[in-house]
Amino acid sequence: MTQGQFDLQLLDYAIIVIYFVGVLLHGLWVSRGHEDSEDYFLAGRNLPWYLIGFSLFASNMSGSSFVGLMGASYDNGLVVFNYEWTATLVLIFFALFMLPTFLRAGLYTIPEFLATRYDRRSRVAYSAFTIFAIMFIDTAGALYAGGLVIANVMPGVGLWGAVAILALVAGLYTILGGLEAVVVTDTVQAVLLVIGAGAIFVFGVDAVGGWSAMTDKLSADQMSLVKPASDDFLPWPGLLGVLLLGFYYWTLNQFVVQRTLGARNLDEGRKGALLAGLLKLPNLFIMILPGVFGLLLVPGLENPDLVFPTLAAELLPVGFRGLILTALIAAIMSSLDSALNAASTLVSVDFVKEMYPEIGDDALVTVGRGFTAFAMVVGAVYAPAIRSFENLFEYFQSVLSYVTPPIVAVFLVGLFWKRANRHGGFWTIVSGLVVGVPLFLAKEVFGVWAALGLPELHFTYMAVLMFVFGTGVLGAVSLATAPPDYDRIAEYTFTRDIFRQDLQDLGLPWYADFRYQAVALVASMAAMILYFW
């Protein structure tokens, strides 16, 4: 058996087919109940906390995790966990300070916030960027991850064929069912994901002789969370850059945040965000450690991104492999359905609805479905080009490091500094893209940066520099132009009075209060970090 190739039996194929048929039938069933655009794009704003939390987790734990996260830990060790615990920290911040503002504004899309806090120019600029990023980063990345693995575990299926199958199935049930189909399917997929990755961990630890034997065989460098400032994967000062990437991904990315905008109320949305933060912590065991002990069980893989299917093929008994492959497909499709639904929402609400205010709900949903199909095709066509990067995880992180930090500055500074005005917001987004995209191409793609003899800077350092650049542009332009109308933006900037109002009248026992839950989550996160420090 070749690296990563499964020996699938009839039962395994049956499980896979049943899963694919099931999600398509569910999308068709949900589509029968849609009455308006709010139902389709935000599930009627009636999502409970557990669906929000599992859907957030499943959407994230897909192409960049099952494939990319394990591959990165196979290459670099436990240090990859820094991307997980920092996400937990960001989600806590989001639940406390950002989500209340977003829900109070009644947003369909994150760019809508920019229209109320700054002006329509900022909304259009950021929405256009987000649509582009969803197609070429999120959708294409997930399709490539799925295509890569499926092409290697199923004989006779090439990369293009696997990408086409995934795009077709995920696109169809997203077109049919909208956000409700996405979050319910994501919840099922999250459970499958945890079962599949958990099985790899249990069988893997047993194969290496137990926990103590595993830690004894791995070097201190492989088991360390802290790397020197010269490290080429994640130098310790780069943790600030990781936090900035987390702020974009978890709080400003329509692809992720959309399910929180569909929350039943603020408390349900907050608890959903905290649940997603809690679910990120066990990834140390079910995602990252399997990649690390893969060094002991399957050394010498030419492509680190194949460590998951290789471990599954070599460790798991026949009959269980269909479930694991289904879990893998489920995880990848979670990313796809979320990305496609987010892109259709942005196009429909931020562009079509703005251009044609009188458009009916049926027509708006039709536009959304049409763009879902278009984004699916674009992502599928572009996906194979990602193979030029060293690994999938590097692709996701490096692209975002150059273009998103100025956008993070616009949101965060605008939330806490009322003097930031519409000109500052717009020109920060534009200048960030004008500087960031060519810089990424020159440094990471074409090697112009190195050819000019410029100092080598890790992409997390570049994220920090781009954030400083964006903050500087926002501050300079805002101070050089007229201040905003403070009364108009009052609800969209942080004040202690609004914060206290958001915390009033929870009427919940302490164990159900999100504040105590957030403290317990921080304590759990700190304990895990200290254990492996």
Side-chain angles (χ1 to χ4, degrees), residues 228-385:
S230 60
D231 187 70
D232 61 357
F233 177 74
L234 182 55
W236 70 264
L239 286 177
L240 180 56
V242 172
L243 274 171
L244 291 172
L245 293 175
F247 268 108
Y248 166 74
Y249 186 86
W250 288 103
T251 72
L252 306 178
N253 187 355
Q254 182 74 19
F255 154 65
V256 173
V257 183
Q258 184 159 336
R259 58 263 303 115
T260 64
L261 300 182
R264 186 173 293 164
N265 53 50
L266 176 57
D267 190 54
E268 295 285 314
R270 278 173 158 162
K271 289 178 178 176
L274 294 182
L275 174 60
L278 175 64
L279 292 171
K280 291 291 283 181
L281 297 181
N283 281 347
L284 174 65
F285 301 100
I286 65 174
M287 295 284 181
I288 296 170
L289 278 170
V292 177
F293 62 59
L295 291 166
L296 304 176
L297 297 174
V298 287
L301 287 179
E302 293 182 5
N303 187 344
D305 287 335
L306 289 178
V307 64
F308 168 75
T310 303
L311 286 174
E314 297 199 4
L315 293 175
L316 301 179
V318 173
F320 203 82
R321 294 168 185 168
L323 179 63
I324 299 304
L325 186 55
T326 302
L328 172 63
I329 296 170
I332 291 164
M333 288 176 63
S334 292
S335 179
L336 280 175
D337 59 31
S338 301
L340 293 170
N341 185 253
S344 69
T345 303
L346 290 167
V347 169
S348 302
V349 176
D350 286 342
F351 290 95
V352 176
K353 184 69 173 176
E354 286 292 299
M355 294 172 62
Y356 305 101
E358 303 304 318
I359 189 172
D361 279 344
D362 289 344
L364 199 62
V365 170
T366 299
V367 170
R369 285 174 168 156
F371 190 81
T372 295
F374 172 76
M376 173 185 67
V377 172
V378 171
V381 171
Y382 177 75

Side-chain angles (χ1 to χ4, degrees), residues 65 99 138 188 205 217 289 323-324 326 330 353 381 393 478 491 524:
S65 54
L99 181 60
D138 299 312
V188 175
V205 170
K217 293 174 183 176
L289 278 170
L323 179 63
I324 299 304
T326 302
K353 184 69 173 176
V381 171
F393 192 78
S478 295
E491 282 193 286
S524 302

Side-chain angles (χ1 to χ4, degrees), residues 309 459 500 504 517:
F459 63 78
R500 282 194 292 266
Q504 285 177 353
Q517 294 170 347

Side-chain angles (χ1 to χ4, degrees), residues 12 18 32 47-48 99 101 193 195 214 223 228 244 265 271 295 313 339 357 373 402 404 409 414 463 471 473 476 505:
D12 300 314
I18 289 170
R32 300 171 62 204
L47 295 177
L99 181 60
T101 302
L193 182 154
I195 292 172
M214 179 188 71
M223 294 295 290
L244 291 172
N265 53 50
K271 289 178 178 176
L295 291 166
Y402 289 84
T404 60
T471 302
V473 172
D505 301 324

Side-chain angles (χ1 to χ4, degrees), residues 2-6 8 13 16 19-20 67 142-167 169 305-306 308-310 324-333 336:
T2 58
Q3 285 184 350
Q5 185 172 332
F6 283 54
L8 297 176
Y13 286 112
I16 296 169
Y19 171 77
F20 271 88
V67 178
L143 284 170
Y144 171 74
L148 175 70
V149 175
I150 292 173
N152 278 274
V153 303
M154 299 183 70
V157 179
L159 178 61
W160 278 101
V163 165
I165 292 169
L166 286 172
V169 175
D305 287 335
L306 289 178
F308 168 75
T310 303
I324 299 304
L325 186 55
T326 302
L328 172 63
I329 296 170
I332 291 164
M333 288 176 63
L336 280 175

Side-chain angles (χ1 to χ4, degrees), residues 36-60:
D36 55 30
S37 58
E38 188 169 274
D39 283 340
Y40 185 77
F41 295 119
L42 292 179
R45 296 191 192 271
N46 196 39
L47 295 177
W49 63 272
Y50 53 88
L51 285 183
I52 293 170
F54 277 112
S55 183
L56 285 170
F57 172 75
S59 297
N60 171 243

